[in-house]
């Protein structure tokens, strides 16, 4: 599937959530963050050995993801995974993680 | 068991359920203060969700139903094993660099979250009456049920692999006693012996798993039994995953140890002579014979009527993971008929669990579930330290009603490395934590 089609699908999903109200949009970011939890811990609170995403400033997180996506920041795996997410999804993820308290 | 016993059991389980739900509600309220967006708090649960199977899919679903649903969802997890044993990393037990205890964990973390964890087996699910029947305690009704049964084996597809033969010819394709027993067989094998691994035609659980196992056994032979050999009888025309990366090891550090034979589908066994027989009639004798039989969705999915693809797998709606065969029944993990290029992996099952949990929480709260993407990350150990990965991201395509891998995203390691070995260990620690605590 193309990135463009992914973007359209994600855009439609986000539009539906926004229509349903701000709480639903917030939940959408929380649900989306489940994609990252396998490696970075539930809600981005790492159990060790991987960086925690919880409490990272939104702009920093978006910047890192965009650098991975553009191949500017070297990585073992994140340069590949980051390309699977639309800019809109990255915004939602970064927004969510920025609100999780660091432990 | 007498009738009186059954009644006592029922009362006990009800009482325990009441306590667990009470404690769970209190914990969830406390938990809500620490989470950024508070779960919907209801005075009374909006519904009871029964989760069948506490593996990567089911345990994750149970955890996230509580994590996202809080006290609005009553969650009952039914698992026949008292403890979880991880398939990922279990090839290292066979290779000798890990102990099974390192991969074995309890369900206490889920109990502390307010999940009622029952150590029991579901014998049947009545999807019309919405009830499950258990072996030890009384039946349970549900509003939604999550079925995450993993795989069961089609032993009948390998002639001669009867109950007696299965005592010595192991699969070790479900982590646990067989993993330990296979390791013991390898340890007992004299140097100069032959280990034969047979691989079924795809799809099967964990596409790179057999090739990782070959690496682990090769690592053990190379360091401890250097005159020994490995023969791989692959039912497939080629290595199914991470081909170049595995071949780099087989032709590099393990050169001369491994005899790989594609299109060698094993359909018959001579157990007494530890001999595998291929479809084409080739006979291969082993000192340690490790047969991974063809697989299908776990038995409970079949008896519940959820198997509706190729008589083996369960089709689902990819927004909710709801079965296309029965309403309010969600199927996860290896048991599903996969979306395009979606592997049967523990990581994937974890993602399925979250999608199902989100959909159930949304539905119980009167909202419409929205599609979510899923990611897969799969690490394979080349030896005791060096690791390679394959990764993918799958996004929902509305017009096709399925998830598809995003073109240009995901990919493979450029080469095996110890750095990825450290990440693989960290991955395991985090995913176990993500599903069990």
């Amino acid at each position: 599937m193309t990135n463009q089609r992914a973007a359209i699908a994600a855009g439609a999903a986000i539009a539906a959530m926004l229509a349903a109200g701000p709480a639903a949009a917030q939940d959408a970011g929380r649900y989306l963050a489940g994609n990252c939890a396998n490696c970075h811990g539930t809600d981005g609170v790492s159990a060790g050995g991987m960086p925690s995403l919880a409490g990272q400033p939104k702009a920093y997180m978006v910047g890192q993801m965009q650098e991975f996506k553009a191949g500017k920041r070297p990585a073992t795996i994140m340069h590949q995974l980051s390309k699977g997410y639309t800019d809109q999804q990255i915004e939602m993820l970064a927004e969510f993680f920025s609100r999780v308290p660091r432990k | 068991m007498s009738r009186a016993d059954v009644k006592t059991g029922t009362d006990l389980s009800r009482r325990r359920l009441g306590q667990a739900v009470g404690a769970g509600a209190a914990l969830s309220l406390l938990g809500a203060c620490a989470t950024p967006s508070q779960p919907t708090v209801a005075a009374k649960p909006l519904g009871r969700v029964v989760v069948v199977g506490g593996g990567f899919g089911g345990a994750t679903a149970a955890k996230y139903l509580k994590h996202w649903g809080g006290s609005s969802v009553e969650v009952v997890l039914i698992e026949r094993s008292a403890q979880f044993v991880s398939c990922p990393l279990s090839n290292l037990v066979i290779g000798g660099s890990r102990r099974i205890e390192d991969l074995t964990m309890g369900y206490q973390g889920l109990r502390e979250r307010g999940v009622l964890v029952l150590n029991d087996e579901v014998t049947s699910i009545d999807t019309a009456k919405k009830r499950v029947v258990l072996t030890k305690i009384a039946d349970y009704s549900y509003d939604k049920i999550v079925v995450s049964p993993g795989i069961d084996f089609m032993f009948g597809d390998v002639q001669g692999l009867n109950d007696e033969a299965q005592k010595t010819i192991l699969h070790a394709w479900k982590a646990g006693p067989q993993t330990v027993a296979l390791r013991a067989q390898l340890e007992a094998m004299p140097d100069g012996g032959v280990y034969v691994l047979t691989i079924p035609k795809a799809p099967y659980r964990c596409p790179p798993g057999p090739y990782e196992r070959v690496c682990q056994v090769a690592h053990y032979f190379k360091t401890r039994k250097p005159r020994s050999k490995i023969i791989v009888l692959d039912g497939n025309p080629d290595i199914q995953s991470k081909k170049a990366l595995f071949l780099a090891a087989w032709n590099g550090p393990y050169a001369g140890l491994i005899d790989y034979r594609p299109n060698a589908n094993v359909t018959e066994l001579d157990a007494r002579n530890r001999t595998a027989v291929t479809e084409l009639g080739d006979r291969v004798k082993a000192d340690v014979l490790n047969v991974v039989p063809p697989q299908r969705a776990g038995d409970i999915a079949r008896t519940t009527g959820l198997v509706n693809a190729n008589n083996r797998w369960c089709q689902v709606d990819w927004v909710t993971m709801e079965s296309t065969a029965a309403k309010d029944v969600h199927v996860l993990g290896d048991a599903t008929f996969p979306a395009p290029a979606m592997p049967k992996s523990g990581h994937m099952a974890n993602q399925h669990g979250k999608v199902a949990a989100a959909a159930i929480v949304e539905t119980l709260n009167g909202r419409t579930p929205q599609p979510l993407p899923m990611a897969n990350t799969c690490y394979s150990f080349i030896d005791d330290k060096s690791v390679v990965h394959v990764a993918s991201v799958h996004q929902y395509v509305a017009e096709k009603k399925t998830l598809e891998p995003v073109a240009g995203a995901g990919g493979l390691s450029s080469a095996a490395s110890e750095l990825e070995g450290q990440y693989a260990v960290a991955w395991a620690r985090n995913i176990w934590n993500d599903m069990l605590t």
Side-chain angles (χ1 to χ4, degrees):
Chain A
M1 140 175 201
T2 63
N3 279 322
Q4 201 185 353
R5 271 170 45 222
I8 292 165
I14 292 158
M17 281 160 191
L18 290 174
Q26 204 176 27
D27 281 345
R30 202 156 58 115
Y31 295 147
L32 200 54
N35 272 234
C36 316
N38 305 41
C39 299
H40 293 279
T42 304
D43 290 343
V45 179
S46 173
M50 295 274 187
S52 273
L53 307 176
Q56 299 280 5
K58 183 179 173 184
Y60 174 77
M61 176 90 183
V62 171
Q64 294 298 302
M65 285 292 280
Q66 292 299 347
E67 286 200 5
F68 282 133
K69 243 179 147 171
K72 288 181 191 158
R73 186 181 160 181
T76 56
I77 202 165
M78 278 312 297
H79 60 304
Q80 298 169 343
L81 288 171
S82 57
K83 292 188 180 82
Y85 298 91
T86 64
D87 292 348
Q88 218 167 355
Q89 286 173 329
I90 288 171
E91 287 278 330
M92 289 168 75
L93 287 168
E95 171 71 27
F96 170 76
F97 287 124
S98 71
R99 290 162 178 259
V100 182
R102 276 169 180 269
K103 281 200 179 162
Chain B
M1 195 189 266
S2 73
R3 223 184 152 72
D5 287 338
V6 174
K7 193 166 185 308
T8 311
T10 310
D11 290 341
L12 263 177
S13 72
R14 287 222 178 101
R15 209 174 307 140
R16 256 187 262 130
L17 175 65
Q19 284 166 356
V21 169
L27 278 173
S28 307
L29 285 168
L30 286 174
C33 303
T35 52
S37 72
Q38 307 214 343
T40 311
V41 178
K44 259 192 197 170
L46 298 170
R48 176 190 285 170
V49 184
V50 167
V51 181
V52 181
F56 277 93
T60 303
K63 184 256 180 72
Y64 274 85
L65 281 163
K66 271 289 163 202
H67 185 60
W68 287 335
S71 55
S72 73
V73 190
E74 184 189 336
V75 185
V76 183
L77 173 65
I78 303 163
E79 165 56 48
R80 61 188 165 199
S81 305
Q83 290 191 298
F84 166 78
V85 187
S86 175
C87 269
L89 266 62
S90 69
N91 276 332
L92 299 190
V93 175
I94 292 161
S97 62
R98 283 281 195 294
R99 297 168 310 145
I100 198 81
E101 293 79 12
D102 301 334
L103 318 180
T104 306
M105 285 145 275
Y107 291 100
Q108 191 52 34
L110 291 180
R111 290 191 171 96
E112 285 166 12
R113 275 193 177 266
V115 175
L116 178 66
V117 183
L118 301 176
N119 181 204
D120 204 338
E121 185 162 357
V122 174
T123 52
S124 69
I125 302 168
D126 184 334
T127 57
K129 290 185 184 154
K130 301 176 91 170
R131 289 182 78 77
V132 294
V133 178
L134 304 166
T135 58
K136 288 191 251 174
I137 56 171
D139 304 356
Y140 258 92
S141 63
Y142 64 79
D143 296 297
K144 304 270 183 192
I145 190 164
V146 176
V147 181
S148 190
I151 48 126
D152 272 308
F153 297 105
M154 297 153 74
F155 289 113
D157 282 20
V158 184
Q159 203 190 321
L161 189 51
N162 51 32
D163 290 351
E164 189 59 29
Q166 285 172 39
K167 288 177 188 165
T168 53
I169 313 287
L170 306 175
H171 53 76
W173 215 245
K174 292 183 182 184
Q178 288 229 351
T179 313
V180 176
L182 179 60
R183 173 65 190 170
Q185 287 186 352
L186 289 166
E187 283 178 347
M189 190 191 87
D191 189 11
V194 177
Y195 164 75
V196 175
L197 172 66
T198 80
I199 305 171
K201 285 182 179 168
Y204 56 84
R205 162 179 281 180
C206 188
Y211 314 103
E212 179 192 55
R213 180 169 295 182
V214 168
C215 289
Q216 289 304 306
V217 175
H219 177 66
Y220 171 58
F221 285 174
K222 192 185 172 190
T223 48
R224 305 293 292 276
K225 290 176 178 167
R227 294 192 297 115
S228 307
K229 290 276 180 284
I230 298 171
I231 299 173
V232 186
L233 301 176
D234 196 338
N236 300 287
D238 209 341
I239 295 171
Q240 293 297 295
S241 179
K242 304 173 185 165
K243 180 186 171 184
L245 294 163
F246 284 122
L247 283 180
W250 296 3
N251 297 325
Y254 304 135
L257 257 168
I258 300 156
D259 175 358
Y260 176 75
R261 303 181 190 174
N263 294 312
N265 191 34
V266 170
T267 50
E268 196 183 331
L269 284 185
D270 175 354
R272 191 172 302 170
N273 293 306
R274 288 192 301 272
T275 297
V277 186
T278 70
E279 226 164 9
L280 301 171
D282 293 329
R283 301 177 70 85
V284 181
K285 189 168 164 37
D287 294 287
V288 173
L289 180 53
N290 180 190
V291 173
V292 180
Q295 298 149 29
R296 53 171 172 74
D299 287 338
I300 191 70
R302 189 140 97 155
T303 54
T304 308
L306 304 175
V307 169
N308 57 1
N310 307 331
N311 207 22
R312 285 171 79 179
W313 312 109
C314 306
Q315 296 200 58
V316 295
D317 174 315
W318 289 102
V319 177
T320 59
M321 301 305 294
E322 190 175 12
S323 163
T324 59
K327 201 174 163 349
D328 296 320
V329 181
H330 299 251
V331 186
L332 312 179
D334 293 348
T336 58
F337 182 76
M342 186 179 275
K344 294 190 182 298
S345 72
H347 193 113
M348 210 73 247
N350 168 294
Q351 298 275 286
H352 292 174
K354 288 168 188 166
V355 168
I360 291 169
V361 168
E362 289 295 288
T363 304
L364 289 178
N365 282 284
R367 298 186 292 258
T368 306
Q370 300 301 322
L372 286 165
M374 301 186 197
N376 186 60
T377 300
C378 164
Y379 291 105
S380 298
F381 280 77
I382 296 300
D383 52 34
D384 55 343
K385 291 187 190 73
S386 289
V387 162
V388 295
H389 81 255
V390 62
S392 53
V393 181
H394 306 253
Q395 293 271 6
Y396 189 73
V397 184
E399 65 266 32
K400 293 185 185 173
K401 294 189 174 172
T402 191
L403 283 94
E404 286 189 347
V406 179
L412 296 146
S413 309
S414 49
S417 72
E418 292 192 7
L419 176 62
E420 286 217 89
Q422 291 166 22
Y423 283 140
V425 172
W427 168 85
R429 194 169 155 190
N430 276 285
I431 197 169
W432 294 336
N433 203 58
D434 190 41
M435 61 187 275
L436 291 169
T437 66

